[in-house]
Amino acid sequence: MILNKIIKSWASLRMIAVLLLLTVAGQSCRISYKLNGSALDYTVYKTIYIGEFPIRAALVYAPLQQMFELNLQDYITRNTRLQFTDTPGSDLNLEGEITGYALSPQAVTQDAYASQTRLTITVRVKYTDEKNEKNDIDQTFSAYRDFDSSQMLNDVEEELCTQISKELVELIFNATLGNW
C-alpha cells in the first residue's frame, strides 16, 4: 500500500516536472537569425542590376570575366531574394571592372630563385543603392593565391582564378548586400 502511494506520487511528480518544462520552454526567448547572410529589407529592395566587369588589367586570363560575373550572380541568387534586371536603375546596382591580374615572386630560396609565385586579382566595384545613398560604395577588392614556382601558370591558372573569384565575390557581397 505504501509502495502504491509512492509510485503514484512519483508519477505525479514526473508529470508536473514535464508540464513545468514544457511551460518554461514555450515561454523562453526566441533566437532569430538569417540563413542567407543578407541584411536586406525585401519590402524595400526587390531588384538588382549586375553590370559587366570588363578586364582592364595589363595581363589577361580571357575566361576570368565570365567566371567572375557568373560566380557573382550565382552567389547573389543563392543568398538573396532579389530579382535581376537587365538595365541600370534597379533598387540596387553593382558594376565594376577587373583592374588587376598580377604575378609576383614570393618565397625566395638561397640561390635567389622564387619558390612560390602569387597570383593577385583586383576588382573595382561601384555599388549604388537607389533607396539609400549612404550605402553606396566605390571600392577596390583584392585576393590572391600562392602556387609553387615549379608549376606552369597555365597548369594552375583556372583553379586559382576560380578560388580567387569566389573569395572576391564573398568579400564584395559582405561589403554591399551583406551590410556587415
Side-chain angles (χ1 to χ4, degrees), residues 13-164:
L13 281 174
R14 284 182 41 198
M15 178 97 85
I16 292 171
V18 167
L19 289 174
L20 183 62
L21 182 62
L22 289 174
T23 303
V24 170
Q27 294 177 353
S28 65
C29 297
R30 282 188 174 160
I31 298 173
S32 173
Y33 58 92
K34 295 181 182 182
L35 295 175
N36 64 12
S38 173
L40 294 172
D41 179 355
Y42 292 109
T43 60
V44 176
Y45 300 103
K46 298 186 183 333
T47 60
I48 187 168
Y49 166 74
I50 299 179
E52 291 186 358
F53 282 78
I55 300 173
R56 304 275 190 243
L59 186 60
V60 176
Y61 175 60
L64 180 60
Q65 178 180 348
Q66 183 178 8
M67 177 188 298
F68 176 78
E69 290 171 358
L70 289 174
N71 282 335
L72 184 59
Q73 290 173 359
D74 182 54
Y75 197 86
I76 290 171
T77 299
R78 285 185 287 117
N79 291 286
T80 72
R81 295 181 297 190
L82 295 170
Q83 298 297 313
F84 290 97
T85 62
D86 294 333
T87 56
S90 297
D91 297 332
L92 302 166
N93 300 287
L94 257 175
E95 302 172 276
E97 57 192 0
I98 299 169
T99 57
Y101 188 89
L103 293 169
S104 58
Q106 290 306 303
V108 179
T109 62
Q110 292 176 354
D111 52 2
Y113 290 104
S115 62
Q116 294 281 308
T117 302
R118 175 168 292 172
L119 173 61
T120 304
I121 298 175
T122 306
V123 178
R124 180 180 164 259
V125 174
K126 183 177 181 186
Y127 172 76
T128 309
D129 182 336
E130 297 294 337
K131 307 289 185 181
N132 185 355
E133 66 183 34
K134 291 179 186 174
N135 294 332
D136 290 358
I137 291 175
D138 191 343
Q139 186 175 341
T140 300
F141 298 88
S142 187
Y144 64 87
R145 290 291 183 278
D146 294 338
F147 64 99
D148 194 283
S149 293
S150 65
Q151 297 176 298
M152 296 296 295
L153 177 61
N154 292 344
D155 296 336
V156 295
E157 194 167 27
E158 182 178 353
E159 178 62 28
L160 294 174
C161 286
T162 299
Q163 292 173 9
I164 295 169

